[in-house]
Amino acid sequence: MKRRTIGISRRLVIGGVLAALATPLRAATRRPTVAQSTGPYYPESLPLDADADLVQVAGQARRAAGDVLHLFGRIETADGRAVAGAQVEIWQCDAAGRYHHPRDPRGGDKADPAFQGFGKTVTDADGAFRFRTIVPVSQPGRTPHVHFLVRAPGRASFVTQMYLKDHPANAADVLFRRVRDAADRARLSVALERADDVEAGAQRCFFEIVLA
């Protein structure tokens, strides 16, 4: 009995050592998400309705034009730890390519009033977040994208952009092409899939942000 107990203890010790050795190896392989510019259309003033549902604006009878997208995501550190309590903000143009912003040359006052254009939420204990928005569309000079700003406790604010995997406009987009490494571009790109189990006719994607 004593010999068996010692054997178990040795396995536990060896297992602990291997786990400790594996941790920095995993951390070394988790490349931080590439930061990108905030861009000119971050809201000058936040909308009164700034929750995680950009498709249905408070006081609007109809929902936003465009295809509904359930955007799931997670925020981690480079060593794989979940970042809880981080504020995540997104903003994007409406289904016609217009931002709710006075500097939009296409006319921010013409943007879809039923589309919130901006939303924010807070990550849970697992670092997870979720938004209900629309599938991003192209606008003059830009491929479809969604802007992200993360304000994590004890860290500097982080900004990046999410793109659609294999979208034909990606190749001509200046900011997308500025990300030289193919693996980094892949981490900024998401695949869409049908999400009828969540909402009829909707799509979903998953976007992970790794903070340095």
Side-chain angles (χ1 to χ4, degrees):
M1 180 67 70
K2 186 175 180 180
R3 183 177 300 172
R4 182 180 179 185
T5 302
I6 293 173
I8 293 173
S9 299
R10 288 184 63 192
R11 286 197 296 272
L12 289 174
V13 170
I14 292 171
V17 170
L18 291 176
L21 291 173
T23 299
L25 290 176
R26 184 182 180 214
T29 61
R30 294 196 55 80
R31 295 171 62 170
T33 301
V34 174
Q36 293 206 290
S37 64
T38 305
Y41 303 127
Y42 183 83
E44 290 187 347
S45 59
L46 300 186
L48 294 177
D49 188 358
D51 62 6
D53 185 352
L54 285 69
V55 175
Q56 189 70 57
V57 177
Q60 288 284 339
R62 67 177 182 84
R63 73 165 181 81
D67 297 324
V68 174
L69 173 66
H70 287 270
L71 198 169
F72 298 88
R74 187 169 189 265
I75 299 179
E76 294 185 349
T77 59
D79 58 2
R81 289 177 292 118
V83 179
Q87 180 170 289
V88 184
E89 302 178 5
I90 65 170
W91 64 101
Q92 66 186 102
C93 64
D94 68 10
R98 295 186 175 92
Y99 282 90
H100 287 288
H101 199 285
R103 288 203 299 272
D104 188 334
R106 301 189 67 201
D109 58 330
K110 299 177 182 176
D112 183 2
F115 180 56
Q116 201 164 283
F118 172 93
K120 61 183 178 179
T121 190
V122 176
T123 57
D124 65 15
D126 296 318
F129 62 87
R130 177 179 179 179
F131 289 96
R132 180 177 181 245
T133 184
I134 62 172
V135 175
V137 301
S138 298
Q139 61 186 115
R142 290 303 316 273
T143 193
H145 63 283
V146 177
H147 297 266
F148 277 77
L149 188 155
V150 179
R151 306 179 194 272
R155 294 174 177 269
S157 296
F158 177 78
V159 179
T160 193
Q161 296 180 36
M162 183 193 84
Y163 301 89
L164 301 183
K165 182 180 179 181
D166 298 328
H167 194 280
N170 287 348
D173 188 88
V174 174
L175 292 182
F176 186 79
R177 290 170 56 192
R178 192 173 291 170
V179 181
R180 300 295 185 183
D181 189 274
D184 287 334
R185 290 197 298 271
R187 290 183 182 91
L188 294 179
S189 306
V190 298
L192 302 182
E193 62 178 30
R194 293 294 298 270
D196 292 308
D197 58 325
V198 179
E199 181 177 352
Q203 299 192 66
R204 73 171 137 227
C205 68
F206 180 82
F207 187 55
E208 182 181 62
I209 295 175
V210 178
L211 301 178

